[in-house]
RNA sequence: GCGGGUGUGGUGAAAUUGGUAGACACGCUAGACUUAGGAUCUAGUGCUUCACGGCAUGGGGGUUCGAGUCCCUUCACCCGCACCA
């Protein structure tokens, strides 16, 4: 009987669904285990083979944990708000909700494309997700609670004294009694006020003040505005100065926006990393992003003669110990004091410099760091310790946005300061003992300080402490910790996102009452911004709040609303809002009264294993940690880190065969010599008809097989077109691409075959033997535009889900990036077929197992018979598979299974006692075939909740050990000796061996190293 | 520049604590079986040498009886950050 994987897989997938095999119980005597995947954005392109990689690994782990007796929560959902569905809406008018539904559930889109649907694609792979817990962030029942969490953030402030977020009421209480003088909060700059003042203010005034304290707050901020996308972007959505999505330019713009006071959590987000089982790389990226620097903030008084200002310049430094090395000051060109302090003589030069700096984009400024530029303001500050006059310069190496926008320049200890001083001929003071700074600054932190009054002879570390003490004593500054982390902009000028539960009365925001949530996205006619530049929600007719009747009402566009009716917020929330807490909702996905019930979150706790891409290091992973800490502060959840252990799966890259044409490429017009995977085909059968679509341009010439060739060749697959894209080479112009008769000039082309995975070898063979082409594989990102996408569906169709699952794991370590290559899939498929045959060794290959037990003697030690070889093979495999999965090495168990099946096949083993446990350990990797054979063995329950077998060491004990015998570390021969032989006896035995005599050459060995059960090394 | 990672046959890779480098697969070679092969089975396959042997884990050095593994140094590639004071 053949291994009919298609039938078997359909059968069991249906069984699992009908029996809710993978439903997690919300309480259980079993220990809990929470395995989570980063949920996908359901794009219209569907899944390619790279997407399931992490899901397969997490599924194997979830199944493994179930077999070990855990109550496993393994859910899946969709991060379904996002830009692509909105852009599709702009193009086609199809509502993003429809697009999203089709992308998830399958169907036909507005342009007639058949969409397989994420769910269908996922189901085919046989995942053990508990689909009853599915969440979609764009579902009103879900974003109701995203809005609710927003309200909690709005109604909270960060108390630095208790070091946690608290309800805003506790702050208002303090204001009423003491004003804000004693309040120790993380807030936007506020002036001090008394209780009397607070109490005297009206509602509006009080709200304005409170806004400075709220954890989510509205403010005019400089934001990253992306004109092409028509929206603002968070810092983590920008890469290299352009938008991460689309690569559009980004500019700075002052806008009234919601922000999240994530900076309040900077220290906890940093220190919390230590306890997480994440890779160092991700932790470092987060540490870097938070960017903590410890130092001092100090004021330099501006020297009176140079300006009427009596002000001071505040600087931040991490090296207060170098205070006596200050040789000049540098302000950012945008620093507000520059205009005030510049002397009339320097005015022209400074203004010219400011203007030049303002014209440079952020990007130019970064790429132009080798050019040292600056201007002297003519002004001076007084050195707080020496009383010396110190020149004030401006220079664009000082950033307005970091610290105070001003630095005290210590050229002897900072290379940038040194370069600046050297360039402009400013005198450099050296305060490092015995350090030569004539060639450059001494930036190490191990120097001893000199020429520095009270800091003399102190090592830097102590000098820093002493300097801060002294600075604070004199009241000219204080120790300070600075973070690079900025508050996160939370408004997006988009349609397809969560609406804010906010309405405005005279520009003061108020929250929609919780019982009125969710505030559902309104219908709009156009998904574009309004004509007067308002976000798309400005187009909504029904988008006002009736405060008294507590409902959304319609006010015609452009009309002034009647009293008691107020306009709702027009922005929507960013993509990361919904994904910052979704792992909590899986615990209680249908709860209408709470975002998650207390007893459920108390039971499930945080995620034990989180698998997903490393690209979310500074976005999702930071925001989710932030919200988790916030919800913890307010007592809603019992933990303050969401993901205990995380593994970042590597990217699966696409491979394109590049064709190098090294000789004249002769064909008839519109014909191209191509390959035929059939080795025996005659040369002329290898000719296929190309069709070049001029509209595709030279980069995307498509080549189609002609029908007659397809017939000759006899492959069904060739009826599909095989796209070939020709990569433009610098020696080639686009013209030569239009007609294939001009192809002589071509040097290089990319070949990618759609569904062509299995005949790549033949393809290569043909071209290598030809004088026309040489192909070389090139690794690229897998994407539709590169024609190198392979969907899991086609592989499941051809080889089955179990093969796909095992193969994706077999490719290599999970974390590693790897090019997709299907050549090896036949090996894995062959293994499953071989496994199947192991259970079908009866007559006519019918199902057969031998029920007679392997005999064991009374003391539990195995019976000495030939049958034991099978048991040994099995138990060795049990041990390895368990240990490997536990250390998240998902690739190595596949080879262990192969070895085991190869051995059992060679032994013609068909004992139930061996074959039954083998299925259990294999089930996480290949659940369908395992279920099928498990059922054939007579089991009536799913293998999902079987017990993972324990290996028995008794089967693994060897009576003899084959010792590799080395001479001077070089392995020379093997010698089989009893395993329990003593060191002395082994040494004697080895030296007496005739082969050893040859290597000893009559000499007496200097030393013999014997490691029992391992090796013998003779030193001659 | 700083931080993190990777480097092993023709290919993907194994080698968990220093102990036979290349398991397991792919590919390739030869053969068997077959109407056929993208089926199945057998044998071989790191490089080099007629052979004994020699050489091999990016390069160079070191520690050790013994190094892919530990230490120093250097190169290449990938990822992140980047005048962050």
């Amino acid at each position: 009987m053949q291994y009919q994987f298609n039938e078997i897989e359909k059968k069991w997938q249906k069984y699992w669904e009908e029996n809710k095999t993978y439903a997690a119980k919300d309480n259980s005597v079993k220990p809990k285990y929470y395995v989570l995947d980063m949920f996908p954005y359901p794009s219209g392109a569907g899944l390619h083979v790279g997407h399931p990689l992490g899901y397969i690994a997490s599924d194997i782990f979830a199944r493994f944990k179930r077999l070990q007796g855990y109550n496993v929560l393994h859910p899946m959902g969709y991060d379904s708000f996002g830009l692509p569905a909105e852009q599709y809406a702009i193009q086609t008018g199809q509502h993003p909700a429809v697009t999203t539904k089709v992308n998830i559930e399958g169907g036909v889109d507005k342009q007639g494309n058949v969409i397989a649907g994420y769910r269908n694609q996922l189901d085919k792979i046989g995942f053990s997700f508990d689909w009853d817990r599915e969440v979609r962030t764009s579902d009103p029942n879900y974003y109701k609670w995203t809005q609710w969490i927003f309200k909690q953030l709005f109604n909270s402030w960060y108390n630095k004294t208790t070091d946690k977020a608290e309800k805003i009421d506790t702050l208002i209480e303090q204001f009423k009694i003491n004003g804000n003088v004693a309040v120790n909060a993380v807030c936007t700059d506020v002036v001090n006020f008394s209780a009397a003042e607070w109490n005297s203010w009206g509602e509006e005034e009080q709200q304005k003040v409170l806004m400075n304290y709220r954890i989510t707050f509205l403010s005019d901020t400089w934001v990253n505005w992306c004109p092409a996308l028509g929206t603002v972007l968070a810092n983590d959505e920008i890469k290299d100065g352009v938008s991460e999505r689309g690569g559009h330019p980004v500019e700075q713009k002052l806008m009234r926006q919601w922000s999240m006071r994530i900076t309040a959590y900077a220290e906890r987000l940093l220190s919390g990393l230590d306890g997480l089982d994440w890779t160092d790389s991700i932790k470092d990226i987060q540490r870097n992003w938070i960017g903590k620097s410890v130092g001092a903030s100090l004021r330099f008084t501006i020297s009176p003669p140079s300006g009427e200002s009596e002000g001071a310049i505040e600087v931040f430094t991490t090296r207060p110990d170098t205070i006596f090395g200050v040789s000049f000051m540098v302000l950012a060109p945008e620093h507000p004091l520059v205009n005030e302090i510049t002397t009339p003589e320097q005015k022209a030069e400074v203004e010219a410099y400011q203007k030049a700096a303002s014209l440079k984009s952020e990007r130019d400024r970064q790429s132009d760091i080798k050019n040292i530029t600056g201007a002297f303001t003519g002004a001076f500050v007084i050195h707080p310790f020496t009383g010396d006059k110190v020149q004030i310069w401006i220079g664009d190496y000082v950033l307005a946005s970091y610290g105070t926008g001003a630095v005290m320049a210590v050229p002897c200890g900072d290379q940038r300061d040194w370069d600046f001083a050297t360039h402009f001929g400013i005198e450099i003071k050296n305060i490092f003992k015995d350090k030569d700074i004539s060639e450059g600054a001494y930036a190490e932190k191990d120097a001893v300080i000199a020429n520095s009054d009270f800091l003399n002879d102190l090592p830097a570390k102590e000098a820093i402490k002493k300097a801060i003490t002294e600075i604070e004593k004199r009241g000219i500054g204080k120790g300070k910790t600075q973070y690079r982390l900025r508050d996160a902009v939370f408004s997006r000028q988009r349609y397809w996102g969560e609406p804010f539960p906010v309405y405005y009365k005279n520009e003061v925001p108020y929250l929609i009452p919780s019982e009125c949530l969710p505030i559902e996205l309104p219908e709009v006619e156009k998904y574009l911004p309004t004509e007067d530049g308002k976000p798309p929600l400005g187009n909504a007719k029904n988008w006002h709040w009736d405060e008294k009747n507590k409902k959304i009402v319609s006010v015609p566009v452009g009309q002034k609303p009647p009293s008691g009716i107020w306009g709702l917020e027009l922005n929507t929330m960013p993509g990361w809002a919904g994904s910052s807490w979704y792992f909590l909702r899986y615990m209680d996905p249908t709860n209408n009264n709470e975002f998650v019930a207390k007893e459920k979150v108390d039971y499930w706790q945080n995620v034990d294993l989180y698998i997903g891409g490393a690209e979310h290091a500074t976005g999702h992973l930071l925001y989710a940690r932030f919200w988790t800490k916030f919800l913890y502060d307010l007592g809603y959840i019992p933990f303050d880190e969401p993901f205990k252990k995380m593994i970042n799966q590597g990217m699966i890259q696409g491979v394109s065969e590049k064709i190098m044409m090294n000789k004249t490429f002769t064909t008839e017009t519109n014909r191209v010599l191509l390959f035929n995977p059939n080795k025996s085909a005659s040369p002329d059968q290898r000719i296929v008809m190309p069709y070049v679509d001029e509209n595709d341009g030279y980069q995307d010439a498509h080549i189609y097989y002609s029908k007659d060739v397809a017939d000759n060749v006899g492959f069904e697959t060739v009826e599909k077109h095989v796209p070939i894209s020709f990569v433009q080479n610098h020696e080639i112009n686009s013209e030569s691409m239009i007609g294939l008769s001009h192809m002589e000039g071509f040097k290089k082309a990319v070949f990618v075959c759609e569904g062509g995975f299995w005949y790549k070898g033949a393809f290569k063979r043909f071209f290598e033997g030809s004088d026309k082409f040489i192909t070389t594989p090139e690794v690229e990102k897998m994407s539709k535009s590169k024609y190198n996408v392979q969907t899991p569906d086609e592989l499941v169709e051809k080889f089955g889900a179990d093969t796909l699952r095992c193969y994706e794991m077999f490719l290599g370590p999970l974390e590693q990036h790897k090019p997709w290559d299907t050549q090896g899939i036949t090996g894995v498929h062959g293994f499953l077929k071989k496994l199947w045959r192991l259970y079908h060794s009866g007559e006519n290959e019918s199902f057969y197992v031998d029920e007679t037990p392997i005999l064991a003697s009374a003391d539990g030690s195995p019976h000495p018979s030939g049958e034991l070889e099978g048991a040994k093979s099995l138990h060795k495999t049990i041990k390895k598979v368990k240990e490997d999965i536990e250390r998240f090495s998902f690739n190595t168990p596949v080879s262990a299974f192969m070895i085991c099946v190869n051995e059992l096949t060679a032994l013609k083993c068909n004992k139930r006692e061996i074959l039954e446990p083998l299925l259990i350990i294999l089930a996480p990797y290949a659940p369908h075939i395992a279920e099928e054979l498990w059922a054939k063995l007579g089991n009536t329950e799913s293998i999902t909740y079987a017990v993972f077998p324990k290996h028995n060491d008794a089967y693994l004990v060897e009576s003899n050990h084959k010792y590799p015998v080395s001479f001077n570390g070089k392995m020379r021969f093997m010698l089989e000796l009893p395993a329990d032989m003593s060191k002395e006896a082994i040494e004697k035995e080895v030296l007496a061996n005739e082969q050893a005599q040859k290597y000893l050459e009559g000499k007496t060995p200097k030393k013999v190293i014997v490691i029992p059960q391992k090796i013998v090394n003779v030193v001659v």
Side-chain angles (χ1 to χ4, degrees), chain A residues 920-932:
Chain A
I920 303 175
I921 61 170
L922 179 74
Y925 279 81
H928 308 87
I929 193 173
E931 287 276 27
E932 179 70 14

Side-chain angles (χ1 to χ4, degrees), chain A residues 59 139 171 279 285 338 358 411 425 634 668 836 838 902 965:
Chain A
D59 195 63
D139 179 347
L171 183 68
T279 62
I285 291 171
V338 174
S358 74
L634 263 54
E668 302 162 40
W836 181 261
L838 200 53
N902 287 346
V965 180

Side-chain angles (χ1 to χ4, degrees), chain A residues 471-512:
Chain A
I471 286 163
E472 290 183 348
K473 207 158 92 190
R474 302 201 189 186
I476 52 168
K478 58 181 182 195
K480 196 183 171 186
T481 302
Q482 186 81 32
Y483 297 92
R484 203 177 70 95
L485 184 71
R486 300 285 85 147
D487 283 331
V489 179
F490 197 67
S491 303
R492 294 292 182 277
Q493 292 68 44
R494 286 182 191 158
Y495 176 73
W496 192 232
E498 298 88 347
F500 284 81
V502 167
Y503 61 98
Y504 290 90
K505 287 204 271 190
N506 304 325
E507 300 198 7
V508 177
Y510 287 87
L511 297 180
I512 304 286

Side-chain angles (χ1 to χ4, degrees), chain A residues 157-435:
Chain A
W157 65 293
Y158 200 90
N159 187 341
K160 277 204 258 188
T161 307
T162 56
D163 199 22
K164 60 175 201 161
E166 293 179 10
K167 296 266 185 200
I168 201 90
D169 312 354
T170 63
L171 183 68
I172 296 171
E173 270 318 295
Q174 288 201 47
F175 286 172
K176 280 183 186 161
I177 300 162
N178 294 317
N180 72 345
V181 184
V183 168
N184 188 16
V186 179
C187 57
T188 316
D189 289 335
V190 281
V191 285
N192 286 347
F193 56 82
S194 66
E197 282 175 284
W198 170 263
N199 292 323
S200 72
W201 289 333
E203 166 76 13
E204 230 167 82
E205 190 83 6
Q206 288 185 341
Q207 286 299 328
K208 262 185 201 158
V209 170
L210 282 174
M211 192 56 86
N212 295 315
Y213 291 87
R214 298 182 187 279
I215 292 186
T216 184
F217 60 99
L218 197 58
S219 67
D220 293 318
T221 32
W222 286 99
V223 293
N224 308 302
W225 173 255
C226 180
L229 296 176
T231 187
V232 303
L233 298 170
N235 287 345
D236 65 274
E237 292 168 316
I238 297 161
K239 290 265 140 71
D240 302 322
V242 296
S243 70
E244 193 179 27
R245 196 179 272 278
H248 306 293
V250 172
E251 54 194 50
Q252 297 299 303
K253 193 172 169 184
L254 195 64
M255 284 177 76
R256 198 157 176 77
Q257 299 285 302
W258 286 102
S259 291
M260 287 282 164
R261 214 178 290 281
I262 189 172
T263 50
Y265 285 88
E267 187 57 44
R268 286 168 64 190
L269 288 168
L270 188 65
S271 59
L273 289 170
D274 296 336
L276 298 178
D277 189 359
W278 293 12
T279 62
D280 288 337
S281 144
I282 296 275
K283 286 194 199 182
D284 278 338
I285 291 171
Q286 290 213 348
R287 284 189 191 110
N288 210 314
W289 190 260
I290 295 165
K292 178 180 183 173
S293 25
V294 180
S297 166
L298 63 163
R299 281 184 304 279
F300 286 78
T301 312
I302 297 165
S303 178
S306 59
E308 45 293 1
S309 170
E310 292 162 10
I313 292 172
E314 195 161 339
V315 301
F316 174 76
T317 177
T318 55
R319 297 292 303 273
D321 56 315
T322 62
I323 180 79
F324 288 93
V326 172
S327 307
F328 53 99
M329 307 289 294
V330 189
L331 307 185
E334 304 88 351
H335 195 285
L337 283 178
V338 174
N339 295 337
E340 238 174 273
I341 60 171
T342 303
T343 58
E345 307 84 70
Q346 295 299 113
K347 207 167 183 73
E349 194 188 334
V350 165
E351 279 176 0
Y353 185 77
Q354 281 179 312
K355 188 161 184 217
S358 74
L359 291 174
K360 273 198 231 171
S361 71
E362 193 85 350
R363 244 186 145 182
D364 294 342
R365 211 160 135 167
Q366 278 174 22
S367 59
D368 200 25
I369 54 172
K370 273 155 270 148
N371 269 338
I372 297 158
T373 60
F376 179 45
T377 61
F380 296 84
V381 291
I382 308 291
H383 191 285
F385 292 113
T386 64
D388 292 346
K389 279 174 78 175
V390 179
Q391 298 178 350
I392 307 172
W393 287 68
I394 61 171
D396 68 3
Y397 82 93
V398 176
L399 304 176
S401 57
Y402 183 77
T404 59
V407 300
M408 56 178 225
V410 183
C412 65
D414 184 293
Q415 193 56 45
R416 293 156 303 168
D417 295 346
W418 191 93
D419 291 341
F420 195 87
T422 309
H423 187 260
F424 289 106
I426 304 168
E427 193 199 338
I428 297 175
K429 287 186 189 166
N430 188 2
I431 49 118
F432 295 122
K433 200 170 187 172
D434 308 326
K435 299 291 179 196

Side-chain angles (χ1 to χ4, degrees), chain A residues 695-995:
Chain A
N695 295 329
D696 282 352
Y698 55 90
Q699 289 222 328
D700 293 302
H702 290 246
I703 294 194
Y704 296 84
Y705 283 99
S706 66
K707 185 74 175 75
D708 60 321
V709 170
D711 288 342
N712 279 333
V713 172
F715 285 103
E716 314 141 31
T717 42
V718 295
E719 284 171 18
K720 286 164 88 175
H721 77 274
V722 178
I724 292 196
S725 40
F726 291 93
V727 166
Q728 191 187 17
N729 185 289
H730 62 275
E731 295 167 56
I732 302 155
N733 55 44
S734 58
E735 196 184 44
S736 58
M737 192 47 237
I738 302 302
L740 281 176
S741 54
H742 297 141
M743 283 189 63
E744 284 88 343
F746 265 77
K747 287 286 188 289
K748 198 175 177 186
V750 187
F751 185 93
V752 260
C753 8
E754 197 176 70
F757 51 96
W758 58 262
Y759 41 77
K760 200 182 102 189
F763 168 69
K764 217 170 158 179
R765 192 164 49 239
F766 173 74
F767 283 116
E768 274 170 0
S770 149
D771 60 357
K772 305 293 192 297
F773 305 99
I774 294 168
T775 73
T776 44
E778 269 184 36
V779 175
E780 300 165 311
K781 199 173 168 173
M782 199 175 269
S783 88
K784 222 175 175 179
S785 64
K786 294 195 168 79
Y787 298 105
N788 60 3
V789 171
Q790 179 145 44
T791 67
D793 311 52
E794 38 187 316
L795 290 170
V796 167
E797 187 65 31
K798 285 199 174 77
F799 299 103
D802 286 338
T803 298
L804 176 74
R805 292 168 63 102
C806 291
Y807 183 60
E808 290 220 7
M809 291 299 102
F810 189 64
L811 276 176
L814 182 61
E815 301 89 333
Q816 222 164 77
H817 295 301
K818 49 216 150 200
W820 180 248
D821 180 353
T822 41
Q823 283 197 59
I825 202 164
T826 53
V828 176
H829 189 58
F831 147 69
L832 288 174
K833 282 200 268 196
K834 204 164 174 179
L835 175 90
W836 181 261
R837 281 200 303 276
L838 200 53
Y839 295 75
H840 294 81
S841 48
E843 237 169 276
N844 303 323
E845 302 229 315
S846 60
F847 185 78
Y848 174 73
V849 287
D850 180 357
E851 301 287 342
T852 52
I854 298 168
L855 298 174
S857 51
D859 62 355
S861 66
H863 187 270
S865 93
E867 300 283 358
L868 294 175
E869 285 304 306
K872 186 177 157 187
S873 180
L874 171 71
H875 284 259
K876 187 177 72 183
T877 309
I878 294 172
K879 185 169 189 284
K880 176 152 180 67
V881 168
K882 176 178 176 283
E883 286 172 1
D884 284 358
I885 295 179
E886 277 172 350
R887 68 188 170 98
F888 308 102
S889 171
F890 293 100
N891 52 330
T892 46
V894 182
S895 9
F897 291 133
M898 288 173 171
I899 294 168
C900 185
V901 168
N902 287 346
E903 284 174 354
L904 295 180
T905 303
L907 290 167
K908 295 196 164 52
C909 173
N910 45 23
K911 292 273 183 211
R912 171 185 282 268
E913 228 175 302
I914 308 289
L915 297 185
E916 196 162 34
L918 175 63
L919 290 178
I920 303 175
I921 61 170
L922 179 74
Y925 279 81
H928 308 87
I929 193 173
E931 287 276 27
E932 179 70 14
L933 293 170
W934 179 253
K936 282 190 166 194
L937 281 168
N939 294 289
T940 49
E941 296 288 313
S942 164
I943 198 169
T944 310
Y945 296 101
V947 176
F948 198 89
K950 286 198 164 55
H951 77 273
N952 183 351
D953 279 323
Y955 289 115
L956 304 181
V957 175
E958 302 262 5
S959 54
N960 285 335
H961 182 76
K962 273 189 182 168
Y963 281 91
V965 180
S966 319
F967 287 77
N968 295 329
K970 283 203 176 85
M971 213 284 283
R972 295 304 183 180
F973 61 87
M974 303 297 291
L975 186 61
E976 188 163 345
L977 295 168
D980 56 358
M981 205 179 209
S982 73
K983 271 188 170 189
E984 292 73 25
I986 293 169
E987 180 173 341
K988 217 171 140 188
E989 201 58 44
V990 165
L991 294 178
N993 188 283
E994 68 179 273
Q995 289 186 84

